[in-house]
Amino acid sequence: AHSQSYNLRMIQIADIVGGYGVSFLIVLVNTAIFFTIKDIRNRNYSTLYPAVALVLIFITAGYGTLRLNNVFTGSRLKVAVVQGNIPQDKKWNPELKKEIVDKYETLTMEAAGLSPDLIIWPETSVPGFLRSDKELFQRVSGIAKRSGAFLLAGAPRQDESDEDVYYNSATLFDREGREARTYDKIHLVPFGEFIPARRLFSFVEKFTKSTIGDFSPGREYTVFKFFVER
């Protein structure tokens, strides 16, 4: 499905069938081509396979066109997404904290040159706890302020009332670098962000190169709101 990321019309079906559905369509079309060539070599000129593939392609393209022409109902936002591509084995190394934030600052300032309304960092891109690490908070806050855009930064968060509880969170900073609101991820990835039935599957950690997160699910859904000035 990732190979079709720029083919906007064909990936709109993902809102119904997800990424696996897009992948299925690609595999199906290639399979149809394979069997069509095989039939031709065997002097069997069946149109079944190409017909099925073409029908699904036309349906997918038609749905994509419909969605792209009707999905935008409000004011458009200009969004920039930055990706530092930090390896997991380096992500939580305290000695590399400055290097990681420096990289995101460079990418963010580059994106800011395009005057976006919102800049988005990946999940857990901030290498530390924003609320308990004042220096780190000021650094990220300053980046948001200098960018002139709202900044949504992924960062782990420690529960204020229970130090043993951690959340995979996203914090929105406004144009002045102030914390606007935070969302704690509710639907966590098993064996990536937490180990289900830890007593039973604790051995899994021995077979992974990076540490599996020990996050707790958030308690409420969050809708971020901000004003866009034109």
Side-chain angles (χ1 to χ4, degrees):
H2 293 168
S3 68
Q4 303 302 304
S5 59
Y6 291 99
N7 194 348
L8 297 182
R9 185 171 284 104
M10 300 303 292
I11 63 173
Q12 295 306 309
I13 59 170
D15 64 358
I16 298 176
V17 297
Y20 288 116
V22 179
S23 297
F24 174 81
L25 177 65
I26 295 171
V27 173
L28 185 145
V29 170
N30 282 274
T31 302
I33 294 173
F34 169 78
F35 280 113
T36 300
I37 295 174
K38 184 177 180 181
D39 284 347
I40 292 175
R41 287 181 174 180
N42 294 330
R43 299 181 181 278
N44 178 16
Y45 302 103
S46 172
T47 59
L48 175 62
Y49 298 117
V52 171
L54 286 173
V55 168
L56 287 176
I57 289 174
F58 279 120
I59 291 175
T60 301
Y63 178 77
T65 301
L66 181 66
R67 291 293 294 161
L68 289 173
N69 289 335
N70 294 279
V71 71
F72 302 111
T73 57
S75 301
R76 295 196 177 210
L77 297 178
K78 191 172 184 180
V79 180
V81 180
V82 300
Q83 172 58 270
N85 289 326
I86 308 299
Q88 287 293 330
D89 58 341
K90 296 182 179 180
K91 198 170 189 178
W92 306 115
N93 187 337
E95 296 179 358
L96 299 177
K97 180 187 295 186
K98 183 179 183 302
E99 178 183 328
I100 293 172
V101 179
D102 285 346
K103 185 169 188 178
Y104 275 105
E105 180 177 19
T106 299
L107 293 171
T108 300
M109 291 303 106
E110 182 179 343
L114 301 174
S115 301
D117 301 305
L118 174 66
I119 299 175
I120 299 177
W121 291 6
E123 279 187 309
T124 61
S125 52
V126 179
F129 299 104
L130 279 175
R131 292 185 178 176
S132 57
D133 189 334
K134 293 183 179 180
E135 182 179 348
L136 184 60
F137 183 92
Q138 291 299 326
R139 185 80 192 280
V140 177
S141 172
I143 294 173
K145 187 174 182 178
R146 288 195 300 278
S147 72
F150 282 81
L151 172 65
L152 185 65
R157 185 177 77 83
Q158 189 176 35
D159 194 296
E160 289 84 354
S161 58
D162 189 344
E163 295 183 352
D164 294 326
V165 176
Y166 301 91
Y167 302 105
N168 183 0
S169 304
T171 298
L172 180 68
F173 291 87
D174 64 19
R175 289 190 174 92
E176 298 301 319
R178 296 170 299 203
E179 180 182 347
R181 198 167 182 187
T182 295
Y183 164 70
D184 299 323
K185 187 175 181 180
I186 294 176
H187 186 66
L188 300 174
V189 180
F191 302 108
E193 295 170 319
F194 77 104
I195 298 179
R198 177 173 286 274
R199 289 185 178 180
L200 181 62
F201 295 107
S202 59
F203 66 90
V204 173
E205 290 186 288
K206 298 179 181 178
F207 301 99
T208 60
K209 293 183 178 179
S210 59
T211 303
I212 297 177
D214 192 18
F215 294 114
S216 297
R219 298 183 179 90
E220 62 180 47
Y221 292 97
T222 302
V223 177
F224 294 103
K225 297 180 181 180
F226 58 89
F227 296 98
V228 176
E229 298 178 0
R230 298 298 186 186

